[in-house]
Amino acid sequence: MARIALVTGGIGGIGSEICTRLAKNGYTVIANHIPQEAAQAEAWKAERVAAGLNVDTAVGDVSSFEDSARMVAEVVAKHGPIDVLVNCAGITRDTTFKRMDADKWNAVIDVNLNSVFNVTRQVWDGMLDRGFGRIVNISSVNGQRGQFGQTNYSAAKAGMHGFTMALAQEGAAKGVTVNTVSPGYVETPMTLAMNDDVRNKIIGGIPMRRMAQPAEIAAAVAFLVSDENGYVTGANLPVNGGLFMH
């Protein structure tokens, strides 16, 4: 039986690459998306199914505990118990703290951090009962070093790894690993749309002198969720080209 993997934010730039990589590795992959992305998700699924990949989509607002519960229950009813969860859903609402209002703060905390609790809580008991589980939280280099204009985002991303370290201790004796991947700057439609001067300045500060390819993030996730990786847990794997080392 193929392992079942759920990827939140699964049709986004990084999420898509993670889904594709896991499907190529033999997983049955379900990509979560928000209701507003329904048409985009249909096209996303059709393209991958046509390429022979075993993927499906699941609509759900992961910032809501109730909707996360409904979504996971539907996925389990259709595909079976979830073995692998990748928490990849994320948004930005960047502004200086002086201009930060409660809506910008709460939106980012709800989608980037509270979603990790909302979805993980739905799959955790089953993983413990079955004695196998792989959870990977997609954080950010800015959760490690902070970033001007991103108090909300940096706090949420740092919180994700705090969650990882604590939950890893609870799953360790039960065959369930919990890890974080912290990408640096990744070449996605969002970063490609940047002003050339801004993008070149960013690249100039990266020791490898380039942004990551989404496939490089997916490769890190593929390692952490594999059956072979039973002994790495509570780790924060930086995939940032040397931008931040500690």
Side-chain angles (χ1 to χ4, degrees), residues 168-243:
Q169 296 181 42
E170 297 186 28
K174 302 284 190 178
V176 183
T177 66
V178 188
N179 291 289
T180 299
V181 171
S182 288
Y185 287 96
V186 182
E187 198 171 279
T188 62
M190 189 171 71
T191 54
L192 288 172
M194 283 175 173
N195 176 295
D196 282 350
D197 290 346
V198 174
R199 190 167 66 250
N200 290 336
K201 186 178 179 186
I202 288 168
I203 290 170
I206 301 170
M208 285 194 180
R209 295 295 187 265
R210 65 176 180 86
M211 293 189 183
Q213 294 300 311
E216 292 174 305
I217 312 303
V221 174
F223 160 67
L224 289 172
V225 305
S226 66
D227 282 22
E228 296 85 50
N229 171 40
Y231 208 63
V232 177
T233 197
N236 191 352
L237 186 58
V239 189
N240 64 36
L243 179 60

Side-chain angles (χ1 to χ4, degrees), residues 119-200:
V119 183
T120 305
R121 189 66 194 85
Q122 315 309 326
V123 304
W124 184 249
D125 292 2
M127 288 179 175
L128 295 180
D129 290 346
R130 293 188 302 278
F132 180 89
R134 298 284 184 266
I135 296 168
V136 176
N137 299 316
I138 306 299
S139 180
S140 166
V141 65
N142 293 342
Q144 298 176 291
R145 63 171 195 165
Q147 178 64 31
F148 185 96
Q150 285 197 328
T151 51
N152 48 5
Y153 186 83
S154 296
K157 292 300 189 180
M160 289 175 86
H161 187 56
F163 177 95
T164 288
M165 292 188 292
L167 194 61
Q169 296 181 42
E170 297 186 28
K174 302 284 190 178
V176 183
T177 66
V178 188
N179 291 289
T180 299
V181 171
S182 288
Y185 287 96
V186 182
E187 198 171 279
T188 62
M190 189 171 71
T191 54
L192 288 172
M194 283 175 173
N195 176 295
D196 282 350
D197 290 346
V198 174
R199 190 167 66 250
N200 290 336

Side-chain angles (χ1 to χ4, degrees), residues 37-193:
E37 296 172 328
Q40 187 185 338
E42 272 309 305
W44 183 97
K45 178 181 171 180
E47 184 184 328
R48 283 158 182 77
V49 169
L53 298 177
N54 190 6
V55 301
D56 198 0
T57 55
V59 63
D61 175 5
V62 295
S63 70
S64 158
F65 184 83
E66 292 74 21
D67 209 40
S68 297
R70 174 203 56 77
M71 174 187 70
V72 170
E74 289 177 7
V75 169
V76 170
K78 184 173 181 181
H79 296 283
I82 293 166
D83 303 296
V84 171
L85 170 62
V86 182
N87 287 304
C88 189
I91 60 169
T92 55
R93 296 288 184 271
D94 296 355
T95 189
T96 60
F97 192 68
K98 189 172 181 175
R99 296 173 184 271
M100 180 80 61
D101 59 29
D103 287 347
K104 285 190 176 72
W105 176 269
N106 290 328
V108 169
I109 297 297
D110 283 346
V111 174
N112 296 29
L113 181 57
N114 290 342
S115 67
V116 178
F117 168 77
N118 293 340
V119 183
T120 305
R121 189 66 194 85
Q122 315 309 326
V123 304
W124 184 249
D125 292 2
M127 288 179 175
L128 295 180
D129 290 346
R130 293 188 302 278
F132 180 89
R134 298 284 184 266
I135 296 168
V136 176
N137 299 316
I138 306 299
S139 180
S140 166
V141 65
N142 293 342
Q144 298 176 291
R145 63 171 195 165
Q147 178 64 31
F148 185 96
Q150 285 197 328
T151 51
N152 48 5
Y153 186 83
S154 296
K157 292 300 189 180
M160 289 175 86
H161 187 56
F163 177 95
T164 288
M165 292 188 292
L167 194 61
Q169 296 181 42
E170 297 186 28
K174 302 284 190 178
V176 183
T177 66
V178 188
N179 291 289
T180 299
V181 171
S182 288
Y185 287 96
V186 182
E187 198 171 279
T188 62
M190 189 171 71
T191 54
L192 288 172

Side-chain angles (χ1 to χ4, degrees), residues 2-44:
R3 297 254 186 231
I4 311 296
L6 172 64
V7 181
T8 72
I11 70 171
I14 295 173
S16 285
E17 202 66 46
I18 292 169
C19 289
T20 300
R21 174 64 185 264
L22 295 185
K24 285 179 176 175
N25 285 7
Y27 295 79
T28 298
V29 180
I30 298 92
N32 151 261
H33 64 91
I34 55 175
Q36 300 91 303
E37 296 172 328
Q40 187 185 338
E42 272 309 305
W44 183 97

